[in-house]
């Protein structure tokens, strides 16, 4: 296990370094350079030269990259002149609220998807399996912005039982204080995830139901519900562990649309507003944070998968 852990952590560090290199190159390949992107088209040559000197952009690229890494290690992601605050401060204010929305939607998706996947596997090739499969494909194929608009029309206008706007609190506690406002954004973000997770659970459960240990459990006279829920489901949930880490980029892209649609003050909305205003420091900072979070999430998923299934770490150690 120790060798497997060292291998995976080493691979994650290499990917993180590559991410910082890409972010550094993007910063220097902006039209007109970082100075023009930050100060705007009306900045004079003297102002551009002074900005490049202050930021160290007039030094050799290797030295600039080392300075870039040093700033990252100190939590310095640059300064947003559009927001008149540092990028890390802007992200720190909004990231916890996006995490809350993503966690709520993920928990809801898991709670709904696992029973659906089990029902599909147990009743495969029957009307329940066909019905859930059809609904899952429909949900997966529906654009998330259209799903959100449909939710607003149905539950805020046709049946006015939920507010059409997400909570507008500045802190996580203020957001959680309005649970009714969180319902539509959470459900909208969870629907597509339910469709994906339920399909993976179904496939994994179908494979495991045909294994020898299931036949052995049935031959011992165990009830079918115990065979399915105790013996088979535990092994059938392995794909979900991997998806939890790999699905972070999809969650953020969904949160970007959902937060803009429901006016949720999270990091997705911050990224959208920065794109409209061409606030490059914020765009690069958010992209870097999401990239690193994806690498860390994948690493955690690998370690959890190895802890749950010894065969994974044994293969990793052998390689």
């Amino acid at each position: 296990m120790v060798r497997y852990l060292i291998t995976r952590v080493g691979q994650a560090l290499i990917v993180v370094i590559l991410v910082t290199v890409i972010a550094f190159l993007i910063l220097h390949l902006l039209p007109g350079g970082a100075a023009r992107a930050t100060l705007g088209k009306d900045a004079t040559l003297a102002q551009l030269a002074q900005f490049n000197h202050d930021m160290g952009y007039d030094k050799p690229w290797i030295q600039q990259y080392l300075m870039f890494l040093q700033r990252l290690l100190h939590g310095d992601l640059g300064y947003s002149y559009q927001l008149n605050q540092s990028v890390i401060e802007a992200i720190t204010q909004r990231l916890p609220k996006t995490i809350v929305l993503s966690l709520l939607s993920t928990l809801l998706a898991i709670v709904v998807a696992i029973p659906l996947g089990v029902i599909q596997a147990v009743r495969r090739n029957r009307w329940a399996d066909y019905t859930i499969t059809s609904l899952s494909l429909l949900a997966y194929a529906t654009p998330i912005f259209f799903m959100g608009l449909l939710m607003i029309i149905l539950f805020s206008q046709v049946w006015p039982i939920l507010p059409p706007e997400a909570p507008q609190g500045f802190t996580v506690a203020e957001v959680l204080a309005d649970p009714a406002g969180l319902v539509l954004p959470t459900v909208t973000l969870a629907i597509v995830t339910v469709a994906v997770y339920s399909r993976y659970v179904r496939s994994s459960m179908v494979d495991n139901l045909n294994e020898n240990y299931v036949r052995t459990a049935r031959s011992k006279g165990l009830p079918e519900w115990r065979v399915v829920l105790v013996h088979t489901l535990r092994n059938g949930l392995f794909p979900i562990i991997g998806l939890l880490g790999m699905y972070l980029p999809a969650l953020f892209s969904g949160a970007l649309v959902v937060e803009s649609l429901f006016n949720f003050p999270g990091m997705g909305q911050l990224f959208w507003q920065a794109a409209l205003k061409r606030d490059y420091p914020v765009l690069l900072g958010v992209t870097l944070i999401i990239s690193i979070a994806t690498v860390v999430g994948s690493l955690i998923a690998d370690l959890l998968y190895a802890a749950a299934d010894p065969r994974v770490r044994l293969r990793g150690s052998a390689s």
Side-chain angles (χ1 to χ4, degrees):
M1 184 64 182
V2 175
R3 183 177 177 182
Y4 180 85
L5 176 62
I6 294 174
T7 302
R8 289 295 181 266
V9 171
Q11 293 173 349
L13 288 176
I14 293 174
V15 174
V16 169
I17 292 174
L18 291 176
V19 168
T20 61
V21 171
I22 294 173
F24 174 78
L25 292 177
I26 291 175
L27 182 66
H28 287 76
L29 294 176
L30 295 173
R36 179 67 69 183
T38 302
L39 300 180
K41 62 180 181 180
D42 296 329
T44 64
L45 294 177
Q47 291 173 330
L48 295 176
Q50 185 63 42
F51 180 88
N52 287 328
H53 179 73
D54 293 339
M55 299 300 296
Y57 292 152
D58 54 352
K59 301 181 183 300
W61 278 41
I62 297 298
Q63 188 175 353
Q64 290 185 47
Y65 177 70
L66 294 177
M67 293 172 58
F68 177 72
L69 284 181
Q70 185 179 9
R71 290 197 297 267
L72 288 182
L73 292 176
H74 287 84
D76 184 5
L77 296 176
Y79 190 85
S80 171
Y81 292 91
Q82 300 282 350
L83 299 175
N84 196 25
Q85 64 179 161
S86 64
V87 175
I88 192 64
E89 182 181 353
I91 292 176
T92 303
Q93 291 175 356
R94 294 162 177 82
L95 179 58
K97 289 174 280 189
T98 296
I99 292 176
V100 168
L101 179 62
S102 299
L103 285 178
L104 290 175
S105 64
T106 301
L107 290 175
L108 177 62
I110 291 175
V111 169
V112 175
I114 291 177
L116 290 180
V118 172
I119 292 173
Q120 287 181 274
V122 174
R123 301 292 182 183
R124 63 184 180 277
N125 299 329
R126 301 181 186 179
W127 68 268
D129 183 20
Y130 294 142
T131 302
I132 296 175
T133 298
S134 300
L135 293 176
S136 298
L137 292 176
L138 179 63
Y140 185 76
T142 302
I144 193 169
F145 71 88
F146 181 79
M147 186 69 70
L149 289 174
L150 188 62
M151 290 287 181
I152 293 174
I153 293 173
L154 289 178
F155 299 105
S156 295
Q157 297 182 7
V158 178
W159 300 297
I161 56 177
L162 293 171
E165 187 177 58
Q168 297 301 302
F170 186 77
T171 64
V172 172
E174 293 174 352
V175 170
L176 294 177
D178 183 14
L182 283 172
V183 173
L184 290 184
T186 301
V187 172
T188 302
L189 189 57
I191 286 178
V192 176
T193 311
V194 168
V196 175
Y197 284 1
S198 64
R199 297 299 298 167
Y200 274 90
V201 173
R202 178 194 182 278
S203 299
S204 182
M205 286 289 294
V206 168
D207 292 338
N208 281 277
L209 284 172
N210 294 321
E211 294 289 340
N212 291 330
Y213 73 89
V214 174
R215 298 191 186 96
T216 302
R218 285 171 174 165
S219 66
K220 291 181 179 180
L222 294 179
E224 185 65 18
W225 66 268
R226 185 176 179 84
V227 173
V228 173
L229 298 181
V230 177
H231 295 275
T232 312
L233 182 58
R234 182 174 57 184
N235 294 325
L237 292 181
F238 284 159
I240 299 298
I241 298 177
L243 283 176
L244 289 176
M246 298 300 296
Y247 217 64
L248 279 176
L251 274 177
F252 176 72
S253 62
L256 191 154
V257 177
V258 169
E259 289 181 10
S260 301
L261 183 62
F262 291 95
N263 196 28
F264 186 81
M267 201 163 68
Q269 188 185 61
L270 173 67
F271 188 87
W272 174 251
Q273 293 175 346
L276 294 178
K277 298 177 181 179
R278 297 184 179 181
D279 194 347
Y280 293 110
V282 172
L283 293 175
L284 289 174
V286 173
T287 301
L288 190 61
I289 292 293
I290 295 300
S291 301
I292 294 176
T294 302
V295 174
V296 174
S298 300
L299 174 62
I300 294 174
D302 285 342
L303 297 180
L304 291 176
Y305 210 118
D309 189 354
R311 295 171 297 179
V312 175
R313 60 175 179 264
L314 288 175
R315 287 197 300 266
S317 299
S319 60

